[in-house]
Amino acid sequence: MSSDARLVRALVGCYPPVWRRRYGEEYAQLLCDMQVHRRPRLVADSLLGAARAHGGALMSGRPSFALPVWAAALFAAAGIGFAKLAEDLSGVATTAHAAVIVAAAVALLALAVAAAPAAAALVPGRAADAWRYVAVPIVGAAAWCGVARVAAAATAGRTVHSGPNIAAFALIAVTGLGVLAATAWAATRILQRVPLAGPGRLRGSAVTAMATGMAGATFAVLVWGLRVRATDAAAFHSDQGLLATPFVSSWLAVLIALCAASVLGAVAARHHRTAP
């Protein structure tokens, strides 16, 4: 396959499956005829069109809980990073820290409320094929605990910023992210097999509350970091961040992840509010 054909195939592949089945062949021929490999602007326009197509697919049709679940997974990962970042600063910016916890609790509780009506369908006999996915977070949590115990034993007596200790923490973090991703995938698969039950207005309100909680937690983390800067400049400019990185970089990374989760949550809330 030539490089031109690979580029066309890659561009067409960026579009949603439904769109590709309907227009893919004609669009691929059009890109070839227009010699897309010689026109960078056309490549950019094609990618922009793919983004718009995905947006249209996302905001149309029956609402799905996939987006709220993945938003919650990203939010949880960022929250774990924040907890690790703040563990040595428990006496600093306590009000903002408490606000983060409260807002996060609101967000996750709202997600649970939104998904609760579907839990009844997991009663044996109604959605038997969905039960196998319930084991994913259990097995994942057990695997993560095992990795954490092995890593802790291997780094006993090591200094915080030693190479083995950083590598062990990285392994624990990567495993934890994998468990979160697997849990989100399993939850999505379960919800795909379980019909959305309960009043649509209740679901929309719950997902909106989740998005609001995420936004509140994001703002609280921003305030927390600024308070740390104002009250403990030495800690703010230290290398006490995640994986022995600068504190500022870790704080910004957590903040960006929370912002991304909040945006996903807001999109999901809009979808569920406007769905019939």
Side-chain angles (χ1 to χ4, degrees):
M1 181 183 296
S2 67
S3 58
D4 301 346
R6 284 195 294 268
L7 176 59
V8 170
R9 183 176 179 180
L11 290 174
V12 175
C14 291
Y15 285 77
V18 174
W19 191 98
R20 293 199 305 269
R21 286 193 293 269
R22 186 170 183 179
Y23 306 110
E25 187 174 344
E26 296 177 6
Y27 187 58
Q29 186 60 52
L30 176 64
L31 291 176
C32 290
D33 293 343
M34 297 182 70
Q35 297 183 324
V36 65
H37 60 285
R38 296 182 179 179
R39 303 176 65 179
R41 183 173 179 179
L42 183 57
V43 174
D45 289 343
S46 179
L47 293 174
L48 181 60
R52 290 173 177 168
H54 278 286
L58 177 65
M59 298 305 295
S60 63
R62 180 175 179 265
S64 167
F65 265 96
L67 194 57
V69 166
W70 283 102
L74 179 58
F75 182 78
I80 293 171
F82 171 75
K84 181 65 178 176
L85 191 63
E87 65 180 2
D88 294 328
L89 296 169
S90 56
V92 180
T94 54
T95 301
H97 188 275
V100 174
I101 296 174
V102 171
V106 169
L108 297 180
L109 179 61
L111 178 66
V113 170
L122 288 176
V123 175
R126 295 188 62 188
D129 62 332
W131 271 101
R132 63 178 180 269
Y133 296 105
V134 176
V136 172
I138 299 174
V139 173
W144 182 85
C145 289
V147 169
R149 289 177 66 89
V150 171
T155 57
R158 303 278 186 174
T159 59
V160 174
H161 289 172
S162 65
N165 195 68
I166 293 175
F169 178 75
L171 177 61
I172 293 172
V174 170
T175 304
L177 291 175
V179 172
L180 283 174
T183 300
W185 171 81
T188 301
R189 299 292 289 179
I190 290 173
L191 291 169
Q192 285 174 346
R193 285 162 169 73
V194 175
L196 291 177
R201 183 174 298 179
L202 173 62
R203 289 195 305 272
S205 299
V207 176
T208 300
M210 180 199 75
T212 303
M214 289 180 175
T218 302
F219 181 74
V221 169
L222 172 63
V223 173
W224 176 84
L226 295 177
R227 289 294 299 161
V228 171
R229 179 186 180 187
T231 58
D232 194 343
F236 187 80
H237 295 288
S238 69
D239 60 349
Q240 299 297 319
L242 304 176
L243 295 176
T245 58
F247 178 90
V248 176
S249 300
S250 296
W251 171 57
L252 290 176
V254 168
L255 199 56
I256 290 171
L258 287 173
C259 286
S262 298
V263 169
L264 290 177
V267 172
R270 179 186 173 191
H271 193 192
H272 281 267
R273 284 199 311 269
T274 58

PDB file of all heavy atoms in Angstrom, residues 55 72-73 80 115-116 145 151-152 158 201 227 264 269:
ATOM      1  N   GLY A  55     -18.857  14.333  17.052  1.00  0.00           N
ATOM      2  CA  GLY A  55     -19.718  15.139  17.913  1.00  0.00           C
ATOM      3  C   GLY A  55     -21.180  14.943  17.584  1.00  0.00           C
ATOM      4  O   GLY A  55     -22.021  14.817  18.470  1.00  0.00           O
ATOM      5  N   ALA A  72     -16.107   9.691  34.791  1.00  0.00           N
ATOM      6  CA  ALA A  72     -15.878   9.361  36.195  1.00  0.00           C
ATOM      7  C   ALA A  72     -14.550   8.643  36.390  1.00  0.00           C
ATOM      8  O   ALA A  72     -13.857   8.858  37.392  1.00  0.00           O
ATOM      9  CB  ALA A  72     -17.028   8.496  36.717  1.00  0.00           C
ATOM     10  N   ALA A  73     -14.174   7.783  35.436  1.00  0.00           N
ATOM     11  CA  ALA A  73     -12.894   7.081  35.545  1.00  0.00           C
ATOM     12  C   ALA A  73     -11.729   8.063  35.487  1.00  0.00           C
ATOM     13  O   ALA A  73     -10.780   7.982  36.284  1.00  0.00           O
ATOM     14  CB  ALA A  73     -12.774   6.043  34.429  1.00  0.00           C
ATOM     15  N   ILE A  80      -7.110  10.518  42.567  1.00  0.00           N
ATOM     16  CA  ILE A  80      -6.064   9.744  43.241  1.00  0.00           C
ATOM     17  C   ILE A  80      -4.733  10.495  43.173  1.00  0.00           C
ATOM     18  O   ILE A  80      -3.972  10.540  44.148  1.00  0.00           O
ATOM     19  CB  ILE A  80      -5.947   8.347  42.605  1.00  0.00           C
ATOM     20  CG1 ILE A  80      -7.216   7.533  42.892  1.00  0.00           C
ATOM     21  CG2 ILE A  80      -4.714   7.613  43.124  1.00  0.00           C
ATOM     22  CD1 ILE A  80      -7.289   6.234  42.131  1.00  0.00           C
ATOM     23  N   ALA A 115     -27.026   5.639  37.743  1.00  0.00           N
ATOM     24  CA  ALA A 115     -26.919   4.261  37.270  1.00  0.00           C
ATOM     25  C   ALA A 115     -27.718   3.277  38.112  1.00  0.00           C
ATOM     26  O   ALA A 115     -27.910   2.129  37.699  1.00  0.00           O
ATOM     27  CB  ALA A 115     -25.450   3.837  37.252  1.00  0.00           C
ATOM     28  N   ALA A 116     -28.193   3.709  39.281  1.00  0.00           N
ATOM     29  CA  ALA A 116     -28.861   2.788  40.203  1.00  0.00           C
ATOM     30  C   ALA A 116     -30.059   2.065  39.601  1.00  0.00           C
ATOM     31  O   ALA A 116     -30.224   0.857  39.827  1.00  0.00           O
ATOM     32  CB  ALA A 116     -29.272   3.539  41.469  1.00  0.00           C
ATOM     33  N   CYS A 145      -3.734  -4.607  44.418  1.00  0.00           N
ATOM     34  CA  CYS A 145      -3.251  -4.804  45.791  1.00  0.00           C
ATOM     35  C   CYS A 145      -2.010  -5.691  45.803  1.00  0.00           C
ATOM     36  O   CYS A 145      -1.057  -5.439  46.553  1.00  0.00           O
ATOM     37  CB  CYS A 145      -4.348  -5.423  46.649  1.00  0.00           C
ATOM     38  SG  CYS A 145      -5.707  -4.297  47.025  1.00  0.00           S
ATOM     39  N   ALA A 151       5.556  -4.252  45.402  1.00  0.00           N
ATOM     40  CA  ALA A 151       6.359  -3.042  45.243  1.00  0.00           C
ATOM     41  C   ALA A 151       6.808  -2.498  46.595  1.00  0.00           C
ATOM     42  O   ALA A 151       7.953  -2.055  46.754  1.00  0.00           O
ATOM     43  CB  ALA A 151       5.558  -1.985  44.487  1.00  0.00           C
ATOM     44  N   ALA A 152       5.910  -2.536  47.578  1.00  0.00           N
ATOM     45  CA  ALA A 152       6.266  -2.045  48.911  1.00  0.00           C
ATOM     46  C   ALA A 152       7.366  -2.903  49.532  1.00  0.00           C
ATOM     47  O   ALA A 152       8.299  -2.384  50.162  1.00  0.00           O
ATOM     48  CB  ALA A 152       5.029  -2.035  49.804  1.00  0.00           C
ATOM     49  N   ARG A 158      14.186   2.003  51.173  1.00  0.00           N
ATOM     50  CA  ARG A 158      14.700   2.911  50.142  1.00  0.00           C
ATOM     51  C   ARG A 158      14.261   4.343  50.433  1.00  0.00           C
ATOM     52  O   ARG A 158      13.218   4.574  51.038  1.00  0.00           O
ATOM     53  CB  ARG A 158      14.173   2.504  48.764  1.00  0.00           C
ATOM     54  CG  ARG A 158      14.497   1.077  48.369  1.00  0.00           C
ATOM     55  CD  ARG A 158      15.896   0.966  47.815  1.00  0.00           C
ATOM     56  NE  ARG A 158      16.159  -0.371  47.298  1.00  0.00           N
ATOM     57  CZ  ARG A 158      17.272  -0.715  46.654  1.00  0.00           C
ATOM     58  NH1 ARG A 158      18.214   0.186  46.450  1.00  0.00           N
ATOM     59  NH2 ARG A 158      17.438  -1.954  46.219  1.00  0.00           N
ATOM     60  N   ARG A 201     -35.877  12.309  33.259  1.00  0.00           N
ATOM     61  CA  ARG A 201     -35.554  13.573  33.918  1.00  0.00           C
ATOM     62  C   ARG A 201     -34.650  13.341  35.119  1.00  0.00           C
ATOM     63  O   ARG A 201     -33.746  14.133  35.393  1.00  0.00           O
ATOM     64  CB  ARG A 201     -36.840  14.273  34.342  1.00  0.00           C
ATOM     65  CG  ARG A 201     -36.623  15.635  34.981  1.00  0.00           C
ATOM     66  CD  ARG A 201     -37.936  16.338  35.241  1.00  0.00           C
ATOM     67  NE  ARG A 201     -38.661  16.585  33.999  1.00  0.00           N
ATOM     68  CZ  ARG A 201     -39.855  17.169  33.953  1.00  0.00           C
ATOM     69  NH1 ARG A 201     -40.465  17.537  35.079  1.00  0.00           N
ATOM     70  NH2 ARG A 201     -40.451  17.371  32.792  1.00  0.00           N
ATOM     71  N   ARG A 227      -3.507  28.413  47.074  1.00  0.00           N
ATOM     72  CA  ARG A 227      -3.319  28.618  48.512  1.00  0.00           C
ATOM     73  C   ARG A 227      -1.990  28.029  48.979  1.00  0.00           C
ATOM     74  O   ARG A 227      -1.311  28.606  49.829  1.00  0.00           O
ATOM     75  CB  ARG A 227      -4.475  27.978  49.286  1.00  0.00           C
ATOM     76  CG  ARG A 227      -5.801  28.706  49.137  1.00  0.00           C
ATOM     77  CD  ARG A 227      -5.736  30.085  49.764  1.00  0.00           C
ATOM     78  NE  ARG A 227      -5.454  29.999  51.202  1.00  0.00           N
ATOM     79  CZ  ARG A 227      -4.984  31.005  51.926  1.00  0.00           C
ATOM     80  NH1 ARG A 227      -4.728  32.168  51.347  1.00  0.00           N
ATOM     81  NH2 ARG A 227      -4.767  30.853  53.218  1.00  0.00           N
ATOM     82  N   LEU A 264     -16.059  16.326  29.783  1.00  0.00           N
ATOM     83  CA  LEU A 264     -16.793  15.116  29.395  1.00  0.00           C
ATOM     84  C   LEU A 264     -18.104  15.005  30.173  1.00  0.00           C
ATOM     85  O   LEU A 264     -19.143  14.639  29.619  1.00  0.00           O
ATOM     86  CB  LEU A 264     -15.928  13.879  29.649  1.00  0.00           C
ATOM     87  CG  LEU A 264     -14.716  13.678  28.736  1.00  0.00           C
ATOM     88  CD1 LEU A 264     -13.935  12.447  29.169  1.00  0.00           C
ATOM     89  CD2 LEU A 264     -15.146  13.551  27.281  1.00  0.00           C
ATOM     90  N   ALA A 269     -23.960  15.488  30.466  1.00  0.00           N
ATOM     91  CA  ALA A 269     -25.137  16.102  31.087  1.00  0.00           C
ATOM     92  C   ALA A 269     -26.030  16.745  30.038  1.00  0.00           C
ATOM     93  O   ALA A 269     -27.263  16.611  30.075  1.00  0.00           O
ATOM     94  CB  ALA A 269     -24.689  17.140  32.117  1.00  0.00           C
TER      95      ALA A 269
END
